[in-house]
Amino acid sequence: MTAVVELMDYADVIERFDPVLGLEVHVELNTNTKMFCGCANEFGGEPNTKVCPTCLGLPGALPVVNAKAIEGAIRIGLALNCEIAEWCRFARKNYFYPDMPKNFQTSQYDEPIAFNGYLDVTLDDGEVVRVEIERAHMEEDTGKSLHVGGATGRIHGAEHSLLDYNRAGVPLIEIVTKTIEHTGERAPEVARAYVSALRDLLSALDVSDVRMDQGSLRCDANVSLMAKDATEFGTRTETKNVNSLRSVERAVRYEMTRQAAILAEGGSIKQETRHFQEADGTTSSGRTKETAEDYRYFPEPDLVPIAPTREWVEELRKTLPEMPSERRKRIQREWSLTDEALRDLLNVGAVDLVAATVEAGATPDEARSWWVNTLAQEANSREIELAELAITPAQLAEVIALVNAGELTNKLAKEVVQGVLAGEGSPAEVVEKRGLKVVSDDSALIAAVDEALAAQPDVAEKIRGGKVAAAGAIVGAVMKATKGQADAKRVRELIVERVGA
């Protein structure tokens, strides 16, 4: 039986404690090959088919650094306003875990490639918070464990475990913030906004597909509480591998209320890792959290140090794209958006989607209306991010074009979008399969109009008498008869013609 966890009301938490955050974001790079070998860097595939002696840690196999991964790490550091090390090296992080075939992880310890940066983050109401970056260092990803049997999918209660090493050795950049203080009740929102802003930046750099649902981008959220009169940080917990923006916010909020309840009762917080439960937004205990000393770091003897020249760093700086914050300012200016309209786009994660829809042929107003209203509601009802909906900007632009060409009504367009979201194919295929094209043949419309007028002679008489507004009843009847596929404007014109009004 699951123990009941006491939680403190959030308002009481804020009144009694100050939250302190530390966010560690891991991002998998989209290089063609892994970090230290020539195996393909691809998501999925049959287990243990993208492996070699090097990423399996077999005796005698030696690593070679992926130059493209170093380039990606430097570009990320520059975009985060970091200093780039003139000399750095890899280290061995030693720990035994089944999904680490070498029993150590090749990482960086006290000599990261990028350090001392910052990222300015915009909150929902437009307030800007500067999050300082401690470091961004290079390492390799682990394999993946699959625990079979049991109710939770975790190792406790499982009958056996399977290991897939396809992901072992994938290039990984870990971006670590400095402590984030003085955010008060907005701490969960700041955490979400930071990960969102970081995801946008990494996407703009084109160094990763930043798919949180596939683990390409994942966040470890460190949370602790300080009593209002305290001078030292409290003990932290680390909620591991949170894989959606919404979950980052929920995990931070839950840990604040859980820790506060324990501290208020005179208890103490255990320094540990915790697992986030998507189903109910809670966290559960993982393992006792190690310190750096427990990992017995030492320099990696099989890899030479990395010393990027200043000329190379400056050449890479020139490759940086327009940063998301600057792009938003330009878009706001070009689309004549108010601050409020821009915030609406940001809050639902629609800026890039709208921009891509405009590039595909829609107007800014058309694209914005669909993404912010209709599609944002769809995403909310499914409890997913807007970008995770199964419709692309190009597909939406195609739907909009069909409406503008008079081949779809707005109502029919929504049906087409639903068909695309349901996986029924492209907009054109959905129109064909569902028979949703607007009835534009006047002969078919005239027949439907005449039938409706004959069924409602009193309404026809009112229209003849000059009460043209009464035509709405006939329009409704025709739309019903044609299953909403008639052009309402053309139907109204035909009604007036047919009654001689």
Side-chain angles (χ1 to χ4, degrees):
M1 185 175 179
T2 304
V4 177
V5 178
E6 294 293 332
L7 303 176
M8 181 180 288
D9 181 78
Y10 192 71
D12 293 337
V13 176
I14 300 306
E15 184 178 341
R16 299 180 59 171
F17 298 97
D18 289 321
V20 178
L21 306 180
L23 302 172
E24 302 169 15
V25 173
H26 296 80
V27 55
E28 290 181 348
L29 300 183
N30 57 5
T31 54
N32 292 327
T33 57
K34 291 185 180 181
M35 189 71 190
F36 302 113
C37 68
C39 291
N41 176 17
E42 299 171 345
F43 177 78
E46 288 297 313
N48 300 309
T49 56
K50 300 180 177 69
V51 294
C52 71
T54 299
C55 56
L56 288 177
L58 299 182
L62 294 175
V64 177
V65 175
N66 186 327
K68 198 69 177 178
I70 295 174
E71 180 181 300
I74 293 173
R75 293 179 73 237
I76 289 172
L78 292 171
L80 289 171
N81 305 290
C82 289
E83 299 177 47
I84 305 300
E86 296 188 10
W87 188 94
C88 63
R89 57 184 171 178
F90 286 98
R92 289 189 179 183
K93 181 181 182 182
N94 296 276
Y95 63 100
F96 174 76
Y97 212 66
D99 57 13
M100 285 297 300
K102 298 181 295 188
N103 286 340
F104 66 84
Q105 180 186 34
T106 305
S107 181
Q108 290 189 302
Y109 175 44
D110 55 347
E111 298 163 315
I113 193 166
F115 55 94
N116 196 29
Y118 65 88
L119 179 62
D120 287 332
V121 175
T122 303
L123 303 185
D124 291 350
D125 63 357
E127 180 183 345
V128 176
V129 174
R130 173 161 293 185
V131 176
E132 296 187 333
I133 306 297
E134 178 72 37
R135 55 194 278 143
H137 65 260
M138 299 179 288
E139 58 187 25
E140 60 182 336
D141 213 341
T142 63
K144 186 174 182 179
S145 300
L146 177 64
H147 305 299
V148 182
T152 65
R154 302 196 180 278
I155 193 168
H156 300 294
E159 297 173 358
H160 62 276
S161 297
L162 301 174
L163 296 171
D164 178 8
Y165 290 122
N166 281 348
R167 195 177 67 183
V170 165
L172 201 64
I173 305 298
E174 181 175 354
I175 302 165
V176 183
T177 69
K178 296 182 180 180
T179 53
I180 304 171
E181 305 175 59
H182 313 302
T183 55
E185 66 179 349
R186 306 193 75 172
E189 181 189 349
V190 169
R192 170 179 54 79
Y194 166 73
V195 178
S196 176
L198 186 57
R199 185 181 67 171
D200 290 346
L201 182 145
L202 295 168
S203 179
L205 290 172
D206 193 28
V207 293
S208 172
D209 65 13
V210 293
R211 288 283 301 271
M212 297 188 77
D213 59 316
Q214 293 183 356
S216 300
L217 183 74
R218 49 195 190 265
C219 177
D220 297 343
N222 293 272
V223 180
S224 66
L225 296 178
M226 295 175 63
K228 290 291 186 179
D229 58 352
T231 57
E232 297 182 359
F233 294 149
T235 301
R236 65 184 172 89
T237 62
E238 181 181 12
T239 303
K240 300 285 288 185
N241 296 327
V242 187
N243 62 3
S244 78
L245 299 179
R246 179 171 177 265
S247 295
V248 169
E249 183 169 8
R250 294 171 75 201
V252 170
R253 187 182 182 98
Y254 179 83
E255 270 302 287
M256 288 171 62
T257 57
R258 186 189 69 85
Q259 291 184 24
I262 293 172
L263 295 172
E265 292 296 321
S268 59
I269 304 301
K270 181 166 65 173
Q271 183 168 319
E272 62 180 352
T273 62
R274 296 184 68 83
H275 302 296
F276 181 70
Q277 312 298 331
E278 291 281 354
D280 58 8
T282 64
T283 66
S284 60
S285 182
R287 56 182 168 82
T288 302
K289 179 62 179 172
E290 298 89 346
T291 63
E293 289 75 15
D294 295 320
Y295 291 124
R296 296 177 292 112
Y297 283 99
F298 65 86
E300 169 56 72
D302 292 333
L303 291 169
V304 297
I306 298 167
T309 65
R310 295 303 90 181
E311 292 78 13
W312 186 36
V313 171
E314 290 310 310
E315 283 299 314
L316 291 176
R317 192 188 301 276
K318 293 175 185 177
T319 70
L320 297 182
E322 182 181 31
M323 290 295 103
S325 58
E326 294 304 315
R327 183 166 180 254
R328 286 193 291 268
K329 291 177 184 176
R330 175 177 58 78
I331 284 174
Q332 182 176 14
R333 184 174 62 254
E334 291 177 355
W335 296 354
S336 301
L337 297 178
T338 64
D339 289 344
E340 183 179 8
L342 180 63
R343 280 201 300 272
D344 287 343
L345 285 176
L346 291 172
N347 291 345
V348 297
V351 173
D352 289 341
L353 295 167
V354 171
T357 308
V358 171
E359 289 171 6
T363 69
D365 285 345
E366 290 169 337
R368 187 161 56 92
S369 176
W370 274 96
W371 285 111
V372 174
N373 299 317
T374 305
L375 290 169
Q377 291 174 9
E378 283 289 337
N380 287 337
S381 66
R382 299 168 190 232
E383 296 188 346
I384 60 174
E385 301 297 330
L386 191 59
E388 294 175 35
L389 286 174
I391 185 169
T392 66
Q395 288 173 327
L396 180 59
E398 184 181 342
V399 172
I400 293 170
L402 290 172
V403 173
N404 291 337
E407 296 182 30
L408 290 177
T409 63
N410 286 328
K411 181 180 178 182
L412 292 176
K414 290 180 179 179
E415 286 193 52
V416 173
V417 167
Q418 287 298 327
V420 174
L421 292 174
E424 297 175 19
S426 68
E429 290 170 336
V430 174
V431 168
E432 183 67 26
K433 290 175 183 176
R434 294 195 179 191
L436 296 177
K437 207 166 186 178
V438 165
V439 177
S440 55
D441 179 7
D442 270 6
S443 61
L445 290 179
I446 289 171
V449 167
D450 287 347
E451 185 176 338
L453 288 170
Q456 301 184 63
D458 55 331
V459 175
E461 198 58 40
K462 288 180 181 178
I463 300 171
R464 287 192 188 93
K467 295 182 178 179
V468 180
I474 306 299
V475 171
V478 173
M479 296 302 289
K480 183 177 180 180
T482 59
K483 298 180 180 179
Q485 292 176 238
D487 181 343
K489 181 180 178 182
R490 181 56 183 153
V491 169
R492 186 176 292 274
E493 291 172 352
L494 289 173
I495 292 169
V496 173
E497 290 175 12
R498 301 301 283 176
V499 300

